[in-house]
């Protein structure tokens, strides 16, 4: 059983992907070809924003979003320590300081009640992460940002397709940034990502930054990066968009089915708040502690069920960041989650039989 079944996803899309890729090979515009603008228009319409800027990766999306804010060394970005390293990485790369506050123990998303205490005169933005496919509490976060004159960047690498109070993830704040890494809810076959905003000035800045800061050819109006998304990858995402509504429906249904099947078992399931949906980029549960997790992982592996840990060490405990961050208050929930989380096989093409196999193996492991 694969952890994420990309082959099963590819088979019904094989012909359309081949057609889309062949069109690129025929016209030969591998960089900034027509599929780039086509994808950006389709994604902007889907998210309900004025501007979508495709970029080279989800990491590049976060980096460029921060660059449009004109950060200075020592500026601070308030975020969560319980996320993939890219969230803090881009902050540190710009000489800014990641400021960590704790997470909600039932969603593993940043706790908005703790953010205000972390805001100082050096704070420039808030960066919530929509972890595992569920958006953080953006209403409260946006209100805090407005009160303090801050930007909000939603790290939506895992939540494209999710809704928050009826509105799509990526269209909820100053910037939405997502990833098209192959394992994401909407993935390409390499690296790719996108930025979303309603702010025309920020959008123009991002477009210039992604092409080495060029306002026009060989006129560099700002410091930039080589951050374009390849035309071939845009073509692949365009083909996969044709099936994406079905895939989101499947993810929602499979997530609900997992929740129901796991309800009798002695483990903690993540809560999905009633005003939002979760597209389950990872279907993650929490065990008692690291020792139980290790035993359960071994038992599941013996039964042919793959697992993963997202994430085994919070960022304030990572060697690269522990001396370059600021911690506000206790991060006890983040530290506990790192010892307890376990991700189970999940993709839109996961069959009920496979899901039953996962749950049966997990039940057996917990009873051992």
């Amino acid at each position: 059983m694969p952890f994420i079944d990309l082959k099963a996803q590819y088979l019904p899309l094989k012909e359309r992907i081949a057609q889309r890729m062949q069109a690129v090979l025929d016209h030969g515009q591998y960089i900034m070809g027509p599929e780039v603008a086509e994808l950006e228009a389709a994604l902007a319409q889907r998210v309900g924003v004025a501007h979508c800027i495709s970029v080279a990766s989800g990491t590049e999306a976060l980096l460029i979003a921060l660059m449009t804010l004109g950060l200075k060394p020592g500026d601070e970005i308030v975020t969560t320590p319980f996320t993939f390293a890219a969230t803090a990485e881009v902050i540190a790369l710009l000489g800014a300081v990641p400021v960590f506050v704790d997470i909600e123990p039932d969603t593993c998303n940043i706790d908005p009640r703790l953010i205000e205490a972390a805001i100082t005169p050096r704070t420039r933005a808030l960066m919530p992460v929509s972890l595992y496919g569920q958006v953080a509490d953006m209403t409260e976060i946006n209100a805090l940002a407005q009160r303090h004159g801050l930007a909000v960047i939603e790290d939506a690498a895992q939540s494209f397709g999710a809704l928050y109070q009826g509105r799509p993830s990526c269209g909820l704040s100053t910037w939405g940034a997502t990833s098209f890494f192959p394992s994401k809810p909407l993935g390409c076959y390499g690296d790719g990502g996108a930025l979303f905003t309603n702010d025309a000035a920020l959008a123009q800045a991002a477009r210039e930054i992604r092409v080495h800061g060029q306002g026009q050819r060989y006129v560099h109006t700002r410091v930039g990066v080589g951050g374009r998304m390849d035309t071939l990858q845009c073509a692949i995402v365009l083909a996969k968009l044709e099936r994406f509504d079905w895939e989101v429906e499947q993810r929602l249904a499979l997530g609900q089915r997992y929740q129901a099947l796991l309800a009798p078992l002695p483990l903690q399931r993540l809560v999905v708040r009633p005003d939002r949906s979760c597209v389950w980029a990872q279907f993650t549960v929490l065990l008692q502690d690291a020792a139980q997790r290790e035993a359960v992982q071994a038992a599941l592996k013996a039964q042919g069920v793959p697992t993963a840990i997202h994430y085994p060490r919070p960022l304030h405990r990572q060697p690269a960041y522990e001396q370059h961050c600021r911690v506000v208050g206790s991060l006890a929930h983040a530290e506990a989650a790192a010892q307890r989380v376990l991700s189970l096989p999940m993709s839109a093409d996961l069959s009920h039989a496979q899901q039953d196999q996962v749950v049966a193996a997990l039940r057996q492991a917990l009873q051992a």
Side-chain angles (χ1 to χ4, degrees):
M1 180 191 307
F3 184 68
I4 297 172
D5 198 342
L6 294 178
K7 288 184 180 179
Q9 181 195 56
Y10 168 67
L11 289 175
L13 292 166
K14 183 176 181 178
E15 185 175 342
R16 287 297 293 136
I17 289 172
Q19 290 170 350
R20 280 286 190 177
M21 293 184 71
Q22 188 62 52
V24 177
L25 295 172
D26 288 341
H27 66 58
Q29 298 177 55
Y30 302 118
I31 301 297
M32 301 302 288
E35 287 79 5
V36 175
E38 183 183 356
L39 178 63
E40 290 174 346
L43 294 176
Q45 181 178 26
R46 184 181 188 93
V47 172
V49 297
H51 306 280
C52 169
I53 302 95
S54 60
V55 293
S57 67
T59 305
E60 209 79 20
L62 293 173
L63 179 66
I64 292 172
L66 287 171
M67 290 176 74
T68 66
L69 303 181
L71 295 187
K72 298 178 179 61
D75 284 348
E76 296 183 344
I77 309 296
V78 181
T79 188
T80 167
F82 192 61
T83 178
F84 183 60
T87 307
E89 180 178 63
V90 293
I91 299 170
L93 279 171
L94 295 175
V97 178
V99 177
F100 294 129
V101 300
D102 210 359
I103 60 173
E104 299 172 329
D106 58 348
T107 68
C108 289
N109 275 329
I110 192 169
D111 190 333
R113 298 169 300 178
L114 305 177
I115 292 174
E116 192 153 32
I119 295 172
T120 73
R122 305 204 75 162
T123 307
R124 293 297 309 280
L126 312 179
M127 191 185 287
V129 177
S130 298
L131 198 69
Y132 302 140
Q134 177 178 196
V135 179
D137 190 348
M138 296 300 287
T139 296
E140 191 166 344
I141 292 167
N142 285 333
L144 273 172
Q146 186 172 16
R147 195 153 66 239
H148 291 274
L150 305 173
V152 177
I153 301 168
E154 182 197 357
D155 181 344
Q158 299 179 14
S159 61
F160 193 83
L163 297 178
Y164 174 84
Q165 298 180 356
R167 298 171 59 200
S169 174
C170 293
L172 303 166
S173 54
T174 315
W175 277 117
T178 199
S179 168
F180 301 131
F181 188 79
S183 63
K184 303 301 184 187
L186 179 61
C188 56
Y189 291 158
D191 275 314
L195 282 164
F196 301 85
T197 188
N198 282 311
D199 188 310
L202 289 178
Q204 183 58 30
R207 291 188 183 101
E208 293 178 8
I209 289 168
R210 76 170 170 183
V211 288
H212 302 284
Q214 295 178 93
Q216 53 185 291
R217 189 165 176 80
Y218 299 132
V219 177
H220 300 268
T221 54
R222 60 183 82 237
V223 174
V225 297
R228 300 160 299 207
M229 185 169 169
D230 296 340
T231 308
L232 278 166
Q233 297 299 344
C234 289
I236 290 165
V237 177
L238 280 165
K240 293 180 77 173
L241 264 178
E242 298 176 17
R243 189 182 189 245
F244 188 59
D245 285 334
W246 177 85
E247 291 195 15
V248 169
E249 291 175 6
Q250 290 298 109
R251 285 180 173 276
L252 296 178
L254 287 165
Q256 290 177 341
R257 191 169 188 269
Y258 253 142
Q259 295 279 48
L261 291 171
L262 295 173
L265 304 188
L267 50 73
Q268 180 185 340
R269 294 167 293 128
L270 292 174
V271 169
V272 179
R273 300 276 188 247
D275 64 345
R276 63 204 76 169
S277 64
C278 182
V279 290
W280 299 112
Q282 292 87 26
F283 190 91
T284 302
V285 297
L286 293 96
L287 301 171
Q288 291 177 3
D289 52 34
Q292 187 192 39
R293 180 175 67 189
E294 184 178 357
V296 167
Q297 269 198 297
L300 290 177
K301 184 178 181 180
Q303 293 291 323
V305 175
T307 58
I309 300 172
H310 303 100
Y311 297 95
R313 186 187 293 191
L315 296 184
H316 67 290
R317 300 293 188 194
Q318 294 284 356
Y321 302 109
E322 57 189 355
Q323 301 301 321
H324 301 286
C325 68
R326 185 164 69 84
V327 171
V328 178
S330 168
L331 301 183
H333 292 313
E335 296 196 354
Q339 298 296 307
R340 299 176 59 206
V341 292
L342 184 67
S343 298
L344 306 175
M346 181 63 177
S347 60
D349 296 281
L350 186 72
S351 70
H352 284 188
Q354 289 174 318
Q355 199 172 32
D356 291 341
Q357 180 186 346
V358 173
V359 174
L362 186 55
R363 180 185 299 111
Q364 183 177 341
L366 289 169
Q367 291 171 348

